[in-house]
Structure formats: C-alpha cells, structure tokens
Amino acid sequence: MRVIAKKILKEFWEKYSDSEQQLKSWYREASKATWKNPTDVKNEYPKASILKSGRVIFNICGNKYRLVIKVNYLRQWVFIRFIGAHIDYDKIDSEKV
C-alpha cells in the first residue's frame, strides 16, 4: 500500500512522543501490505474497526489515540484522514473526515 501523508503521522509523534513507535510500526506494516478488501485489514489488525466508504479506525497506544484512514483497495492507496486523542476523535465524524 502507498501511505499518503506520512508527514501527518510524523508531526503527531513529534508532539506526542509516546505514539512514535506504534505509528512507525503501523506505517511500516501498512506500506508493505497488499490489502485487497476490508477482510485483509481485519486479518492483520483484528481490533481495527471497518467503516463505510473504505474508512478504517486503528487504536494507537491502547486506544489513547485513534488513527482513521481511507483505503483505496484497487489502487493500493491509504490516505491518513485523522490522528488524534480519543477525546478529539469523539468530536469528528469518522465517515466524513
């Protein structure tokens, strides 16, 4: 998968250093993945939440932070749509970010 906007992740882990290792690991794993459908994501990340419109939510640092991505399975692209504290996640519509 081609992960678009790694800069967003980097800016986040520079501000919240406790998230750095998990976000770097997620980025490496996602970059090497060849997800063809939501089931492939769930097989690799059983706790991920699959939403409509190709959105997937990952818990980072034991659910302290949330990562929302949009996946284009056909083109093998992952777009970072949101990364933030759980309290900030509660303020967004994850299906529309």
Side-chain angles (χ1 to χ4, degrees):
M1 304 297 289
R2 180 172 179 221
V3 180
I4 298 177
K6 180 182 180 183
K7 180 181 176 187
I8 294 169
L9 298 178
K10 186 176 183 206
E11 289 172 352
F12 189 81
W13 78 54
E14 286 174 349
K15 188 173 182 180
Y16 301 97
S17 61
D18 60 330
S19 69
E20 182 174 1
Q21 291 309 312
Q22 283 193 16
L23 289 174
K24 283 182 174 179
S25 292
W26 179 88
Y27 179 83
R28 271 191 311 275
E29 292 164 7
S31 294
K32 293 177 184 175
T34 54
W35 300 323
K36 301 290 184 198
N37 54 54
T39 303
D40 289 346
V41 178
K42 284 296 272 188
N43 287 339
E44 191 170 342
Y45 294 96
K47 293 185 179 182
S49 299
I50 307 295
L51 305 179
K52 299 175 190 173
S53 310
R55 301 279 197 298
V56 182
I57 302 169
F58 297 92
N59 297 324
I60 305 296
C61 294
N63 209 17
K64 183 176 180 182
Y65 307 113
R66 288 275 178 101
L67 171 63
V68 179
I69 65 169
K70 181 173 182 176
V71 183
N72 184 316
Y73 297 100
L74 183 62
R75 294 184 183 222
Q76 292 288 288
W77 292 343
V78 171
F79 298 91
I80 306 298
R81 304 303 299 152
F82 172 84
I83 178 71
H86 199 286
I87 193 166
D88 297 321
Y89 168 82
D90 290 338
K91 298 174 187 174
I92 66 162
D93 182 346
S94 55
E95 299 221 16
K96 294 184 179 177
V97 294

XYZ file of all heavy atoms in Angstrom:
825
model
N 0.849 -1.173 0.000
C 0.000 0.000 0.000
C 0.897 1.239 0.000
O 1.935 1.254 0.654
C -0.897 0.031 1.235
C -1.776 -1.189 1.462
S -3.007 -1.525 0.224
C -4.174 -0.240 0.443
N 0.455 2.228 -0.699
C 1.154 3.510 -0.662
C 0.442 4.378 0.372
O -0.729 4.723 0.199
C 1.108 4.171 -2.037
C 1.818 5.490 -2.038
C 1.936 6.052 -3.443
N 2.622 7.334 -3.340
C 2.278 8.403 -4.029
N 1.278 8.352 -4.882
N 2.929 9.525 -3.874
N 1.130 4.698 1.444
C 0.551 5.501 2.518
C 0.800 6.972 2.207
O 1.949 7.412 2.109
C 1.146 5.127 3.892
C 0.520 5.975 4.988
C 0.950 3.640 4.168
N -0.282 7.696 2.058
C -0.184 9.108 1.694
C -0.335 9.964 2.945
O -1.279 9.791 3.709
C -1.232 9.452 0.621
C -0.920 8.605 -0.608
C -1.252 10.939 0.327
C -1.846 8.724 -1.748
N 0.637 10.843 3.098
C 0.682 11.823 4.185
C 1.346 11.288 5.443
O 0.855 11.484 6.552
C -0.695 12.410 4.476
N 2.489 10.632 5.275
C 3.273 10.208 6.439
C 3.618 11.424 7.304
O 3.751 11.310 8.521
C 4.556 9.502 5.992
C 5.403 9.050 7.166
C 6.697 8.394 6.723
C 7.518 7.969 7.921
N 8.808 7.404 7.518
N 3.724 12.582 6.663
C 4.045 13.811 7.385
C 3.063 14.056 8.537
O 3.457 14.509 9.607
C 4.019 14.995 6.410
C 4.336 16.311 7.047
C 4.268 17.437 6.018
C 4.506 18.764 6.723
N 4.291 19.894 5.833
N 1.807 13.726 8.321
C 0.793 13.893 9.377
C 1.153 13.037 10.582
O 1.077 13.486 11.729
C -0.607 13.538 8.842
C -1.026 14.550 7.769
C -1.626 13.487 9.972
C -2.270 14.150 6.996
N 1.548 11.802 10.330
C 1.943 10.906 11.420
C 3.172 11.436 12.138
O 3.234 11.454 13.363
C 2.210 9.496 10.895
C 1.046 8.761 10.250
C 1.507 7.403 9.744
C -0.116 8.624 11.210
N 4.168 11.862 11.351
C 5.413 12.366 11.939
C 5.162 13.587 12.817
O 5.700 13.686 13.921
C 6.416 12.697 10.832
C 7.758 13.078 11.370
C 8.755 13.312 10.249
C 10.106 13.623 10.890
N 10.954 14.412 10.061
N 4.358 14.511 12.337
C 4.042 15.699 13.132
C 3.343 15.310 14.430
O 3.586 15.898 15.478
C 3.169 16.664 12.328
C 3.929 17.354 11.211
C 3.043 18.157 10.276
O 1.784 18.083 10.385
O 3.600 18.864 9.417
N 2.493 14.282 14.354
C 1.785 13.834 15.549
C 2.746 13.213 16.541
O 2.732 13.541 17.723
C 0.673 12.842 15.176
C -0.211 12.519 16.342
C -1.235 13.369 16.708
C -0.009 11.365 17.087
C -2.053 13.082 17.790
C -0.816 11.071 18.170
C -1.836 11.936 18.520
N 3.616 12.291 16.084
C 4.515 11.638 17.047
C 5.567 12.588 17.580
O 6.084 12.380 18.665
C 5.069 10.328 16.521
C 6.197 10.345 15.536
C 7.406 10.967 15.664
C 6.241 9.665 14.280
N 8.191 10.716 14.563
C 7.503 9.913 13.698
C 5.349 8.851 13.600
C 7.878 9.398 12.466
C 5.730 8.337 12.382
C 6.977 8.617 11.821
N 5.873 13.644 16.852
C 6.790 14.648 17.404
C 6.134 15.418 18.550
O 6.804 15.843 19.481
C 7.258 15.600 16.313
C 8.268 14.958 15.375
C 8.646 15.815 14.186
O 7.986 16.852 13.931
O 9.614 15.441 13.485
N 4.834 15.557 18.486
C 4.089 16.238 19.552
C 3.738 15.280 20.701
O 3.759 15.666 21.861
C 2.811 16.846 18.974
C 2.061 17.724 19.924
C 0.911 18.419 19.216
C 0.174 19.338 20.165
N -0.940 20.026 19.522
N 3.431 14.022 20.354
C 3.043 13.001 21.339
C 4.023 11.834 21.199
O 3.732 10.852 20.519
C 1.607 12.536 21.104
C 0.612 13.657 21.185
C 0.159 14.303 20.034
C 0.137 14.104 22.420
C -0.746 15.344 20.103
C -0.773 15.151 22.498
C -1.200 15.761 21.337
O -2.102 16.793 21.405
N 5.169 11.950 21.846
C 6.267 11.001 21.646
C 5.914 9.562 22.034
O 6.511 8.626 21.511
C 7.514 11.459 22.401
O 7.251 11.535 23.788
N 4.932 9.394 22.912
C 4.552 8.033 23.300
C 3.919 7.257 22.143
O 3.860 6.038 22.173
C 3.626 8.035 24.512
C 2.318 8.778 24.293
O 2.292 9.739 23.492
O 1.319 8.411 24.934
N 3.494 7.954 21.099
C 2.869 7.291 19.954
C 3.872 6.934 18.856
O 3.530 6.207 17.916
C 1.780 8.194 19.360
O 2.362 9.332 18.728
N 5.102 7.416 18.968
C 6.061 7.296 17.868
C 6.294 5.854 17.426
O 6.194 5.545 16.232
C 7.390 7.944 18.238
C 8.401 7.884 17.119
C 9.688 8.652 17.417
O 9.827 9.233 18.511
O 10.550 8.673 16.521
N 6.626 4.975 18.336
C 6.968 3.610 17.940
C 5.783 2.875 17.325
O 5.935 2.165 16.324
C 7.543 2.830 19.128
C 8.914 3.320 19.553
C 9.894 3.418 18.389
O 10.025 2.494 17.597
N 10.571 4.547 18.267
N 4.600 3.047 17.890
C 3.433 2.359 17.331
C 3.063 2.907 15.958
O 2.712 2.147 15.055
C 2.243 2.441 18.281
C 2.385 1.482 19.429
C 1.103 1.302 20.203
O 0.015 1.642 19.751
N 1.235 0.761 21.397
N 3.161 4.221 15.781
C 2.848 4.793 14.468
C 3.885 4.407 13.427
O 3.536 4.115 12.273
C 2.710 6.313 14.557
C 1.462 6.807 15.283
C 1.506 8.317 15.451
C 0.200 6.384 14.548
N 5.143 4.363 13.813
C 6.180 3.920 12.876
C 5.956 2.462 12.479
O 6.094 2.101 11.309
C 7.571 4.092 13.486
C 8.065 5.520 13.470
C 9.475 5.617 14.051
C 10.038 7.013 13.920
N 11.392 7.129 14.491
N 5.610 1.636 13.445
C 5.334 0.225 13.147
C 4.128 0.089 12.227
O 4.153 -0.675 11.260
C 5.076 -0.561 14.435
O 6.244 -0.665 15.190
N 3.065 0.830 12.543
C 1.875 0.776 11.693
C 2.226 1.209 10.270
O 1.824 0.559 9.299
C 0.755 1.674 12.252
C -0.434 1.632 11.356
C -1.467 0.750 11.406
C -0.680 2.478 10.220
N -2.333 0.989 10.363
C -1.874 2.046 9.629
C 0.003 3.550 9.650
C -2.405 2.654 8.498
C -0.523 4.155 8.513
C -1.715 3.717 7.958
N 2.999 2.281 10.131
C 3.372 2.788 8.811
C 4.172 1.730 8.029
O 3.891 1.479 6.853
C 4.178 4.081 8.940
C 4.610 4.627 7.606
C 3.752 5.406 6.850
C 5.871 4.341 7.085
C 4.130 5.890 5.610
C 6.257 4.814 5.843
C 5.382 5.587 5.116
O 5.759 6.048 3.880
N 5.136 1.114 8.673
C 5.940 0.075 8.012
C 5.060 -1.090 7.549
O 5.167 -1.563 6.418
C 7.024 -0.458 8.954
C 8.329 0.295 8.912
C 9.444 -0.438 9.661
N 9.083 -0.896 11.000
C 9.153 -0.134 12.097
N 9.568 1.108 12.021
N 8.812 -0.621 13.267
N 4.191 -1.532 8.444
C 3.324 -2.669 8.123
C 2.342 -2.317 7.009
O 2.137 -3.112 6.082
C 2.575 -3.128 9.373
C 3.499 -3.742 10.402
C 2.879 -3.854 11.780
O 1.665 -3.574 11.928
O 3.604 -4.215 12.724
N 1.738 -1.142 7.080
C 0.776 -0.726 6.050
C 1.468 -0.540 4.707
O 0.919 -0.892 3.663
C 0.071 0.561 6.475
N 2.684 -0.024 4.723
C 3.427 0.191 3.479
C 3.759 -1.122 2.776
O 3.858 -1.164 1.550
C 4.725 0.952 3.756
O 4.438 2.251 4.211
N 3.939 -2.172 3.545
C 4.269 -3.482 2.976
C 3.028 -4.308 2.635
O 3.129 -5.319 1.939
C 5.139 -4.268 3.953
C 6.515 -3.674 4.144
C 7.302 -4.452 5.180
C 8.650 -3.790 5.430
N 9.390 -4.438 6.506
N 1.872 -3.883 3.123
C 0.633 -4.646 2.944
C 0.131 -4.571 1.502
O 0.458 -3.639 0.759
C -0.442 -4.119 3.890
N -0.654 -5.554 1.138
C -1.362 -5.555 -0.146
C -2.823 -5.897 0.123
O -3.331 -6.918 -0.353
C -0.743 -6.560 -1.135
O -0.700 -7.841 -0.516
C 0.649 -6.147 -1.573
N -3.475 -5.057 0.918
C -4.872 -5.296 1.273
C -5.744 -5.205 0.036
O -5.710 -4.223 -0.696
C -5.334 -4.285 2.315
C -4.569 -4.311 3.600
C -4.067 -5.401 4.244
C -4.215 -3.189 4.409
N -3.432 -5.028 5.399
C -3.510 -3.667 5.529
C -4.431 -1.818 4.294
C -3.023 -2.834 6.533
C -3.950 -0.988 5.290
C -3.256 -1.494 6.403
N -6.529 -6.212 -0.185
C -7.454 -6.244 -1.331
C -8.885 -5.898 -0.921
O -9.715 -5.567 -1.756
C -7.447 -7.632 -1.979
C -6.100 -8.075 -2.472
C -5.663 -7.273 -3.667
C -4.346 -7.819 -4.204
N -3.665 -6.874 -5.051
N -9.153 -5.996 0.391
C -10.503 -5.742 0.894
C -10.432 -5.580 2.416
O -9.388 -5.831 3.029
C -11.442 -6.892 0.498
C -10.906 -8.235 0.927
O -10.589 -8.441 2.096
N -10.774 -9.160 -0.016
N -11.539 -5.177 3.035
C -11.537 -4.973 4.496
C -11.176 -6.229 5.296
O -10.585 -6.130 6.370
C -12.964 -4.519 4.796
C -13.435 -3.898 3.521
C -12.797 -4.710 2.431
N -11.487 -7.399 4.769
C -11.150 -8.637 5.468
C -9.645 -8.785 5.629
O -9.166 -9.243 6.672
C -11.737 -9.855 4.723
O -13.150 -9.678 4.611
C -11.434 -11.152 5.439
N -8.889 -8.374 4.618
C -7.428 -8.427 4.722
C -6.926 -7.544 5.859
O -6.007 -7.915 6.583
C -6.776 -7.979 3.406
C -6.958 -8.981 2.281
O -7.345 -10.139 2.548
O -6.706 -8.587 1.120
N -7.534 -6.376 6.021
C -7.145 -5.473 7.111
C -7.473 -6.126 8.452
O -6.645 -6.145 9.368
C -7.855 -4.100 6.996
C -7.467 -3.201 8.158
C -7.532 -3.436 5.663
N -8.677 -6.685 8.582
C -9.091 -7.327 9.835
C -8.221 -8.530 10.172
O -7.961 -8.795 11.344
C -10.557 -7.764 9.759
C -11.552 -6.642 9.898
C -11.503 -5.985 11.246
C -12.397 -6.667 12.250
N -12.478 -5.897 13.514
N -7.756 -9.243 9.154
C -6.874 -10.389 9.407
C -5.555 -9.939 10.020
O -4.992 -10.625 10.863
C -6.624 -11.169 8.121
C -7.824 -11.976 7.690
O -8.699 -12.285 8.481
N -7.885 -12.307 6.409
N -5.072 -8.795 9.601
C -3.812 -8.277 10.131
C -4.015 -7.498 11.427
O -3.164 -7.506 12.316
C -3.138 -7.378 9.089
C -1.724 -7.016 9.451
C -0.977 -6.339 8.305
O -1.402 -6.432 7.141
O 0.047 -5.699 8.612
N -5.137 -6.798 11.525
C -5.457 -5.966 12.694
C -6.868 -6.310 13.187
O -7.831 -5.616 12.870
C -5.399 -4.474 12.326
C -4.021 -3.992 11.968
C -3.606 -3.913 10.648
C -3.127 -3.606 12.960
C -2.338 -3.464 10.316
C -1.856 -3.158 12.641
C -1.475 -3.092 11.312
O -0.213 -2.639 10.999
N -7.005 -7.371 13.966
C -8.330 -7.814 14.402
C -9.137 -6.762 15.177
O -10.368 -6.787 15.158
C -8.036 -9.023 15.298
C -6.677 -9.482 14.899
C -5.953 -8.272 14.421
N -8.455 -5.829 15.831
C -9.170 -4.812 16.612
C -9.510 -3.568 15.796
O -10.152 -2.656 16.309
C -8.359 -4.420 17.841
C -8.248 -5.561 18.838
C -7.551 -5.132 20.098
C -7.484 -6.294 21.081
N -6.870 -5.924 22.339
N -9.110 -3.522 14.534
C -9.451 -2.384 13.682
C -10.956 -2.365 13.458
O -11.606 -3.414 13.405
C -8.725 -2.481 12.350
N -11.498 -1.172 13.326
C -12.929 -1.008 13.035
C -13.076 -0.626 11.568
O -12.484 0.353 11.114
C -13.538 0.084 13.916
O -13.422 -0.255 15.277
N -13.891 -1.383 10.859
C -14.121 -1.140 9.444
C -15.410 -0.327 9.313
O -16.452 -0.723 9.826
C -14.267 -2.467 8.662
C -13.075 -3.386 8.922
C -14.487 -2.193 7.186
C -11.739 -2.889 8.437
N -15.328 0.798 8.628
C -16.485 1.649 8.403
C -16.838 1.658 6.920
O -16.135 1.089 6.093
C -16.196 3.085 8.854
C -15.731 3.274 10.300
C -15.478 4.746 10.568
C -16.767 2.729 11.266
N -17.906 2.370 6.598
C -18.295 2.549 5.204
C -17.264 3.424 4.494
O -16.409 4.031 5.117
C -19.657 3.244 5.129
C -20.772 2.474 5.776
C -22.036 3.299 5.739
C -23.107 2.669 6.600
N -24.271 3.532 6.721
N -17.382 3.502 3.204
C -16.549 4.389 2.387
C -15.062 4.083 2.477
O -14.238 4.976 2.316
C -16.786 5.856 2.761
O -18.146 6.161 2.780
N -14.701 2.854 2.792
C -13.292 2.484 2.842
C -12.542 2.995 4.055
O -11.319 2.952 4.091
N -13.238 3.490 5.052
C -12.585 4.005 6.252
C -12.263 2.861 7.214
O -13.024 1.915 7.362
C -13.477 5.010 6.986
C -13.903 6.232 6.193
C -12.823 7.263 6.181
N -13.166 8.603 5.814
C -13.653 9.022 4.661
N -13.977 8.182 3.731
N -13.841 10.303 4.421
N -11.119 2.984 7.890
C -10.697 2.022 8.904
C -10.151 2.812 10.088
O -9.434 3.799 9.910
C -9.603 1.065 8.377
C -9.229 0.044 9.441
C -10.046 0.374 7.093
N -10.492 2.371 11.297
C -10.027 3.031 12.517
C -9.118 2.077 13.274
O -9.451 0.913 13.487
C -11.211 3.425 13.421
C -12.151 4.349 12.665
C -10.719 4.081 14.707
C -13.473 4.568 13.364
N -7.955 2.611 13.677
C -6.987 1.846 14.459
C -6.820 2.501 15.818
O -6.774 3.730 15.915
C -5.618 1.838 13.757
C -5.634 1.172 12.421
C -5.861 1.914 11.274
C -5.419 -0.190 12.310
C -5.871 1.311 10.025
C -5.423 -0.806 11.067
C -5.658 -0.048 9.925
N -6.712 1.673 16.850
C -6.399 2.158 18.186
C -4.884 2.216 18.315
O -4.197 1.245 18.005
C -6.972 1.224 19.252
C -8.477 1.168 19.198
O -9.133 2.162 18.925
N -9.028 0.004 19.447
N -4.379 3.334 18.784
C -2.945 3.537 18.962
C -2.689 3.761 20.451
O -3.423 4.497 21.102
C -2.453 4.765 18.148
C -2.836 4.635 16.665
C -0.953 4.977 18.334
C -2.206 3.489 15.915
N -1.653 3.128 20.969
C -1.286 3.252 22.395
C -2.448 2.858 23.300
O -2.848 3.608 24.188
C -0.784 4.654 22.717
S 0.759 5.081 21.925
N -2.984 1.679 23.066
C -4.054 1.177 23.922
C -5.314 2.014 23.873
O -5.989 2.184 24.881
N -5.633 2.555 22.716
C -6.833 3.365 22.489
C -6.711 4.787 23.037
O -7.697 5.507 23.125
C -8.083 2.676 23.026
C -9.321 3.069 22.262
O -9.257 3.603 21.163
N -10.467 2.818 22.858
N -5.508 5.189 23.415
C -5.295 6.576 23.844
C -5.464 7.510 22.648
O -5.963 8.623 22.777
C -3.892 6.720 24.446
C -3.586 8.097 24.980
C -2.215 8.111 25.648
C -1.878 9.476 26.199
N -0.530 9.500 26.802
N -5.025 7.024 21.483
C -5.133 7.785 20.239
C -5.893 6.957 19.213
O -5.942 5.735 19.315
C -3.747 8.120 19.671
C -2.846 8.798 20.662
C -1.705 8.158 21.133
C -3.120 10.078 21.137
C -0.865 8.769 22.055
C -2.291 10.690 22.063
C -1.166 10.034 22.512
O -0.344 10.641 23.427
N -6.446 7.657 18.233
C -7.153 6.994 17.150
C -6.580 7.445 15.817
O -6.300 8.623 15.616
C -8.645 7.339 17.175
C -9.426 6.701 18.319
C -9.843 5.298 17.902
N -10.549 4.574 18.913
C -11.866 4.412 18.934
N -12.633 4.981 18.046
N -12.410 3.679 19.864
N -6.422 6.500 14.916
C -5.955 6.750 13.560
C -7.078 6.341 12.612
O -7.540 5.201 12.659
C -4.692 5.921 13.275
C -4.177 5.894 11.842
C -3.749 7.292 11.395
C -3.014 4.915 11.720
N -7.507 7.279 11.775
C -8.547 6.994 10.783
C -7.902 7.103 9.403
O -7.262 8.110 9.093
C -9.729 7.984 10.885
C -10.779 7.674 9.829
C -10.345 7.970 12.278
N -8.082 6.058 8.619
C -7.557 6.064 7.258
C -8.691 5.814 6.274
O -9.750 5.313 6.647
C -6.457 5.000 7.054
C -7.020 3.587 7.214
C -5.289 5.241 7.991
C -6.081 2.478 6.772
N -8.439 6.174 5.046
C -9.338 5.806 3.955
C -8.509 4.966 3.000
O -7.414 5.366 2.602
C -9.889 7.026 3.238
C -10.844 6.651 2.130
C -11.523 7.841 1.516
C -12.503 7.334 0.458
N -13.275 8.417 -0.118
N -9.025 3.806 2.638
C -8.291 2.873 1.798
C -8.923 2.798 0.416
O -10.136 2.653 0.289
C -8.276 1.449 2.417
C -7.450 0.503 1.575
C -7.782 1.476 3.848
N -8.084 2.894 -0.593
C -8.495 2.595 -1.953
C -7.832 1.259 -2.285
O -6.641 1.212 -2.597
C -8.042 3.693 -2.917
C -8.528 3.456 -4.323
O -8.466 2.341 -4.836
N -9.003 4.508 -4.965
N -8.611 0.191 -2.169
C -8.069 -1.155 -2.333
C -7.616 -1.405 -3.773
O -6.599 -2.065 -3.991
C -9.101 -2.202 -1.912
C -9.463 -2.114 -0.451
C -10.634 -1.485 -0.035
C -8.614 -2.642 0.519
C -10.961 -1.391 1.312
C -8.931 -2.555 1.868
C -10.106 -1.930 2.257
O -10.422 -1.836 3.590
N -8.334 -0.882 -4.727
C -7.993 -1.097 -6.129
C -6.646 -0.472 -6.491
O -5.805 -1.088 -7.127
C -9.095 -0.531 -7.025
C -8.919 -0.740 -8.526
C -8.900 -2.229 -8.862
C -10.030 -0.044 -9.286
N -6.428 0.762 -6.050
C -5.187 1.469 -6.374
C -4.075 1.254 -5.351
O -2.972 1.765 -5.511
C -5.471 2.954 -6.534
C -6.358 3.206 -7.722
C -6.569 4.659 -7.939
N -7.479 4.820 -9.060
C -7.340 5.697 -10.005
N -6.328 6.532 -9.981
N -8.204 5.773 -10.975
N -4.418 0.568 -4.252
C -3.439 0.278 -3.203
C -2.922 1.549 -2.535
O -1.727 1.707 -2.302
C -2.277 -0.561 -3.758
C -2.678 -1.966 -4.156
C -2.957 -2.850 -2.966
O -2.058 -3.249 -2.257
N -4.230 -3.143 -2.709
N -3.843 2.449 -2.236
C -3.527 3.696 -1.558
C -4.175 3.719 -0.188
O -5.301 3.272 -0.002
C -4.053 4.901 -2.321
C -3.409 5.185 -3.625
C -2.223 4.715 -4.090
C -3.931 6.023 -4.657
N -1.962 5.218 -5.340
C -3.001 6.025 -5.714
C -5.087 6.778 -4.797
C -3.188 6.734 -6.879
C -5.284 7.492 -5.966
C -4.334 7.459 -6.990
N -3.463 4.304 0.773
C -4.002 4.570 2.110
C -3.840 6.060 2.364
O -2.736 6.592 2.255
C -3.231 3.780 3.197
C -3.650 4.216 4.581
C -3.433 2.288 3.017
N -4.927 6.717 2.690
C -4.911 8.141 2.989
C -5.113 8.334 4.489
O -6.095 7.834 5.044
C -6.033 8.873 2.250
C -5.929 8.786 0.761
C -6.549 7.757 0.066
C -5.204 9.728 0.048
C -6.452 7.670 -1.318
C -5.099 9.651 -1.335
C -5.721 8.620 -2.019
N -4.212 9.042 5.127
C -4.376 9.378 6.544
C -5.444 10.472 6.613
O -5.272 11.559 6.061
C -3.064 9.900 7.175
C -1.907 8.919 6.957
C -3.269 10.221 8.656
C -2.070 7.573 7.565
N -6.540 10.191 7.305
C -7.638 11.153 7.397
C -7.672 11.861 8.755
O -8.129 12.975 8.865
C -8.981 10.468 7.133
C -9.060 9.743 5.798
C -8.769 10.628 4.597
N -9.746 11.688 4.541
C -9.538 12.888 4.020
N -8.375 13.189 3.504
N -10.474 13.793 4.015
N -7.205 11.165 9.813
C -7.242 11.754 11.159
C -6.301 10.966 12.057
O -6.244 9.745 11.993
C -8.660 11.693 11.731
C -8.757 12.096 13.176
C -8.866 13.424 13.541
C -8.721 11.139 14.181
C -8.936 13.799 14.875
C -8.793 11.495 15.516
C -8.901 12.831 15.854
N -5.589 11.688 12.907
C -4.851 11.086 14.020
C -5.025 12.042 15.185
O -4.851 13.253 15.042
C -3.354 10.823 13.705
C -2.605 10.240 14.909
C -2.647 12.048 13.194
C -2.937 8.841 15.257
N -5.438 11.510 16.313
C -5.643 12.386 17.466
C -6.006 11.606 18.707
O -6.188 10.381 18.674
N -6.108 12.343 19.794
C -6.502 11.753 21.075
C -7.942 11.251 20.967
O -8.734 11.745 20.166
C -6.381 12.787 22.189
N -8.247 10.270 21.775
C -9.581 9.687 21.749
C -10.649 10.756 21.972
O -11.694 10.739 21.324
C -9.688 8.580 22.801
C -10.822 7.647 22.549
N -12.125 7.975 22.774
C -10.830 6.380 22.052
C -12.900 6.966 22.464
N -12.133 5.982 22.016
N -10.379 11.705 22.845
C -11.352 12.767 23.127
C -11.606 13.627 21.878
O -12.730 14.063 21.623
C -10.917 13.624 24.335
C -12.055 14.495 24.814
C -9.676 14.436 24.027
C -11.831 15.104 26.179
N -10.574 13.835 21.064
C -10.735 14.587 19.819
C -11.454 13.754 18.764
O -12.229 14.274 17.972
C -9.379 15.053 19.288
C -8.696 16.001 20.250
O -9.395 16.845 20.857
O -7.463 15.897 20.404
N -11.204 12.468 18.770
C -11.885 11.566 17.845
C -13.391 11.614 18.075
O -14.178 11.561 17.117
C -11.349 10.138 18.018
C -12.191 9.114 17.314
C -12.025 8.885 15.952
C -13.157 8.392 18.003
C -12.814 7.949 15.296
C -13.946 7.459 17.354
C -13.778 7.252 16.009
O -14.566 6.332 15.361
N -13.798 11.711 19.339
C -15.229 11.747 19.660
C -15.929 12.969 19.061
O -17.151 12.986 18.948
C -15.436 11.723 21.177
C -15.074 10.377 21.779
O -15.062 9.361 21.041
O -14.785 10.329 22.984
N -15.173 13.972 18.656
C -15.742 15.216 18.107
C -15.869 15.203 16.578
O -16.391 16.149 16.008
C -14.879 16.406 18.527
C -14.820 16.614 20.014
C -13.836 17.718 20.373
C -13.634 17.825 21.869
N -12.590 18.789 22.206
N -15.360 14.159 15.926
C -15.377 14.133 14.469
C -16.370 13.076 13.960
O -16.795 12.203 14.713
C -13.983 13.832 13.871
C -13.542 12.411 14.239
C -12.972 14.859 14.308
C -12.421 11.863 13.386
N -16.720 13.205 12.708
C -17.487 12.155 12.029
C -16.486 11.365 11.204
O -16.053 11.803 10.137
C -18.556 12.783 11.124
C -19.418 11.759 10.438
O -19.049 10.547 10.422
O -20.484 12.130 9.896
N -16.102 10.215 11.707
C -15.038 9.439 11.073
C -15.403 8.953 9.671
O -14.518 8.605 8.900
C -14.640 8.265 11.961
O -15.758 7.491 12.283
N -16.670 8.973 9.332
C -17.059 8.567 7.988
C -16.931 9.717 6.991
O -17.042 9.500 5.789
C -18.499 8.041 7.999
C -18.619 6.831 8.905
C -19.476 5.743 8.361
O -19.770 5.755 7.155
O -19.862 4.868 9.132
N -16.694 10.915 7.492
C -16.626 12.079 6.601
C -15.289 12.804 6.620
O -15.065 13.669 5.794
C -17.742 13.057 6.938
C -19.105 12.485 6.640
C -20.200 13.480 6.874
C -21.542 12.842 6.539
N -22.653 13.723 6.806
N -14.404 12.478 7.553
C -13.104 13.159 7.590
C -12.252 12.714 6.421
O -12.412 11.655 5.885
C -12.334 12.958 8.908
C -13.045 13.601 10.064
C -12.023 11.505 9.156
